[in-house]
Amino acid sequence: MRSKGCTLPVIHTFGMAMERSPDTRMFNLTRYFSALSLVLIVLAGGVLGGYFNRFSTHHLISQAEHDNVAMTHFVRNALREEFAAIVALSQAPQDAPGQGVSAKAAELHPRVQALIKNSDVIKVKTYNRNGLTVYSTDQTQLGESVGHKPGFQAAIRGRVASDLKHRDVFNAHDGERAKIDFIASYVPMRDQDGNINGVFEIYREVTALVQRVERTLWQVAIAAAASLALLYLLQLLVVRHAQRILRLQAAELRTSNLELDRRVQERTAALEGEIAERRHAERRLDHLAHHDPLTGLPNRLMFKEHLSQCLSRAARQKSRLAVLFIDLDRFKDVNDTLGHSVGDELLVAVTRRVKTCVRTSDILARQGGDEFICILEDIANQDAVAQVADKLLALFRQPFTVGGNELCLSGSIGICIAPDDGNEVDILVRNADAAMYRAKAQGRNRYHFYTVELTLQAQERMRLETLLRHAIEANELSVHFQPKVDAGDSSLTGAEALLRWNSRELGSVPPSRFITLAEENGLIIELGAWVLREACRQLALWDQDGFFVPRLSVNLSVKQLEHSDFLAQAGDILRASGINPARIEFEITESVIMSVDDSLAVLNRLRALGVTLSVDDFGTGYSSLTYLKVLPLHTIKVDRSFVNGIGVNPGDEAIIRVIVELSHSLGFISVAEGVETSHQAQFLRSIGCDQIQGFFFGKAVTAAEFQAHWQGPGNSRMFPASLSAPAFDSL
C-alpha cells in the first residue's frame, strides 16, 4: 500500500507537466516513424533484391549445368572410344611428349565440331586424371594443366562443378566472340567399370539468358520499389492520423488527470480502512496455514519450521532433542462405527489430554489424521525421553467420554534422537515414523526407539513392494500346484494352487516374504484375483487335454473377504472360465473367519457362488465349536504343526484324532497337510483321515510337471458326474 501512496504525487506532477507544455513533452511519432520506416524499407528492398538475384543465378546455372551434362553424355557416347584412347595415350610413358596426343586431337577435332555445331556449346575440353589438357576445340590449349582448379578437383572426385563467367573476348570453336556470358561445367568421365579416368569440360553460352534475367531483375526491382514506396506513404498517412488522435487524447488526459487526483485522494482514505482489515485477514490466514483447524495445534508445515529452528539451536548449543511420532491405535474403527464427527471429538479430547503431559517449551503438532508429533528439546538421555513416552501411554489407560460414548484407546509411539538418528527434518520424521510402525508390529500400546535396522528394513520393504507391483505385468508370477491324495488308495483327489514369484532382480522370492506385504499394502486384492483366474484357466486347459483334476483349492485373504467387489469379481471369473464352481475350493484360515465382521453372512454368500469352503490351519486358532457348527464348510485341514508331532508327541496325535472325528461328525472332509514321511501317512490312514497333502506325495510344481506326473492310469479317479458341468443357478 505504500507503493500506491507514492504513485499519487507522480500522477499529479505528470498531469501538471502536460498542462504546462503539451507539445514539447509529446513524443513526435511521425518524425521517428518516417526515418525508421524508410531505413527498414530500404534494407528490406536490398535483402529481397539480393535474394532474387542469387536465386535467379542459381537457377540459371542449374539449368545450364543439366544441359551441359546431357551434351557431355551425347558427345562422349558418340566418340567414347576416341576419347578413351586419347586419355590413355596421354598417360603412356613411351609416347613422345604430346606428339601422339596432338595427332589424335587433330583427328578428333572435326568430328567434335560436327556434333556441337548449331548448339549453344562454344568450347569442349578433355583432361586426363592428372589435369593435363588432352583435347580442346582451341588447339592452342593442348598440354595445359588445370589440376589445381577447384572445378577439376570436384569432378575428379565424382561431382559435377559449374560456374557462370563473362568474357569481353572469347575464342570459341567457330571463331572469336565478344562480350559473352557462358556456363563452364566440369563433368567426370568414367570407363566401362565406372572408374573416373578423366574430366570433360564443356562451355555453353548463356548471354541471352543472362540479359533476360537482368531485365527481369530490373523490372522486379522497379515494381518492388514502387510497392514499398506506396506502402511507406500509406503507413505515413496512418501514423500522421494517429499522431493527431494522440494529441487530442493528451488534452483529454489532462482533464481526466485532475479528476483522477481528486478521486485518488478520496480512495486513499477508504483504502486505509481496507488495509487494516486485510492485515487482520492475512494474520488469520497465516494462522490457518500453520495450524490444524480441528485441534488448534501446529500443522505439518509449521512443525517442520519449528523442528528446523530447534535443530539449528541444538547444533549451536551442542544439545540433543527427541522427536516422538504418536499414532492412535485402531482409530479407524471409531470413524467406521461411530462416524467422523465422533472421531473429530475424540481427536480434540486426545489433544487436550496430551497437552497436559508435555512442557510448555515442547512443541506438539498434528501430523495428519490420527497422527501427532512432539519435539522435546534439551534432553539429557534416552531414559528421560522414555519417561515422557511412558506418561503419554499412561494417558490412554483412562477411557475417553465422547458424545455419550465411553471409548478405550491406545497409542503407539516412535522415537528418534537428534543428532544421533539424523540432523535433517525429513530424516528425523521418517525415522520416528519407522520406529512407530515397529511399535505397532510389536503389539501396539508401546513405544520404540529408532535403530538403523529400521531404515534398512523400510528401504528393503519399499523396494520389494515396488518390484511386486510390477510383477504381474512383468510376467514374473506363476501358479504351482501341490497334489491332494486319497488317504486310502493314494489316488489324486485335487490340488492346491500356490502363488510363486520369480523376480528378475531378486530371483525366487518365498511367499512368506511377499504375501504378508501384499496384505498390508492392498496388493493382495489384485494378486488373489490373478491367482483365481489362472487356477480356473489351468483347470479348463487340463479338461481339454483329458486330464481331470476333481477339485482345485485357492487360498483367500481377510483383505479379499473385506473387499466390497470380491464376490462379484469371483463370480465373473468363474463364469468366464466355464468350469463347474463346485470344483473350486476356497481355503480360509481360522483367524480370517474370526476377524471378518459377520463372517457367517460372508461365507454364505461365497457358498452361494457354488464353490466349496475349507478351514485351513485348523486347531491353531480360537474359533468356537458352536460357531464352527453353523458355518457352510466342506473341508477341515489339520495344521502341519500337529502332523509334525506324529510319532514324537502323543498330544499332537490326540489332537489330530479329535479333529478328524469332529470333521466326520459335522459331515466335513478331513485333510492333513504337511505330510512328509510314510509313518505320518500310515498313522493318518489308521485314524480315518480322508485326504493327505504334503511333500511325501509331491511338492508344488508347475502345471506341466503336475500333469505329466499325475495324468495316466491309476493316478486319478473319476469325480461325481455332478461336477463335470457348470452349475451357476445359484449365482
Side-chain angles (χ1 to χ4, degrees), residues 143-155:
E144 291 182 354
S145 177
V146 296
H148 62 283
K149 292 186 178 181
F152 174 82
Q153 293 294 330

Side-chain angles (χ1 to χ4, degrees), residues 601-615:
V602 173
L603 295 182
N604 280 327
R605 286 195 292 271
L606 267 179
R607 191 70 181 86
L609 293 175
V611 301
T612 57
L613 301 177
S614 170
V615 177

Side-chain angles (χ1 to χ4, degrees), residues 137-202:
T137 53
D138 184 356
Q139 297 294 312
T140 62
Q141 294 180 332
L142 288 176
E144 291 182 354
S145 177
V146 296
H148 62 283
K149 292 186 178 181
F152 174 82
Q153 293 294 330
I156 206 68
R157 288 194 294 269
R159 300 196 306 273
V160 177
S162 301
D163 195 13
L164 174 63
K165 300 180 180 179
H166 174 82
R167 294 289 186 272
D168 291 335
V169 178
F170 186 84
N171 189 13
H173 71 93
D174 54 357
E176 189 176 89
R177 300 189 185 189
K179 297 188 181 299
I180 67 170
D181 297 286
F182 60 90
I183 299 292
S185 298
Y186 291 87
V187 183
M189 297 172 57
R190 298 181 183 272
D191 57 20
Q192 293 180 350
D193 297 330
N195 298 318
I196 298 174
N197 58 3
V199 174
F200 200 91
E201 185 179 14
I202 186 167

Side-chain angles (χ1 to χ4, degrees), residues 461 465 468-469 516-524:
R461 176 189 177 90
E465 180 177 342
L468 182 58
R469 289 186 182 277
T516 303
L517 175 63
E519 289 180 338
E520 292 176 357
N521 60 25
L523 279 175
I524 195 66

Side-chain angles (χ1 to χ4, degrees), residues 291-364:
H291 290 79
D292 174 46
L294 177 64
T295 62
L297 294 175
N299 60 12
R300 183 181 305 180
L301 177 62
M302 190 173 184
F303 165 78
K304 287 187 174 183
E305 294 177 0
H306 278 308
L307 181 54
S308 178
Q309 295 170 4
C310 292
L311 288 172
S312 299
R313 191 159 47 246
R316 290 194 304 269
Q317 299 174 356
K318 299 187 183 305
S319 60
R320 305 164 75 197
L321 61 84
V323 176
L324 282 67
F325 201 107
I326 308 167
D327 184 87
L328 305 183
D329 298 329
R330 297 188 178 90
F331 178 78
K332 181 177 179 295
D333 296 341
V334 176
N335 279 336
D336 293 342
T337 56
L338 300 178
H340 288 277
S341 59
V342 174
D344 289 345
E345 291 183 39
L346 179 58
L347 288 175
V348 174
V350 169
T351 301
R352 285 197 298 265
R353 192 175 291 186
V354 172
K355 278 184 174 180
T356 63
C357 188
V358 297
R359 301 170 298 184
T360 55
S361 60
D362 298 331
I363 298 170
L364 178 66

Side-chain angles (χ1 to χ4, degrees), residues 3-77:
S3 60
K4 289 186 177 181
C6 294
T7 305
L8 299 180
V10 174
I11 295 175
H12 180 73
T13 304
F14 174 67
M16 296 301 292
M18 291 182 63
E19 185 177 5
R20 289 193 299 269
S21 52
D23 294 331
T24 58
R25 306 299 289 271
M26 179 71 69
F27 179 74
N28 196 322
L29 184 62
T30 304
R31 180 190 307 160
Y32 289 101
F33 170 79
S34 60
L36 181 60
S37 295
L38 182 60
V39 171
L40 293 177
I41 287 176
V42 170
L43 288 175
V47 171
L48 290 174
Y51 170 77
F52 188 75
N53 183 33
R54 287 193 299 273
F55 174 79
S56 301
T57 302
H58 176 73
H59 180 72
L60 177 63
I61 293 175
S62 298
Q63 183 62 41
E65 181 181 275
H66 179 270
D67 295 340
N68 283 350
V69 173
M71 178 59 76
T72 299
H73 292 324
F74 171 71
V75 173
R76 287 190 65 248
N77 288 337

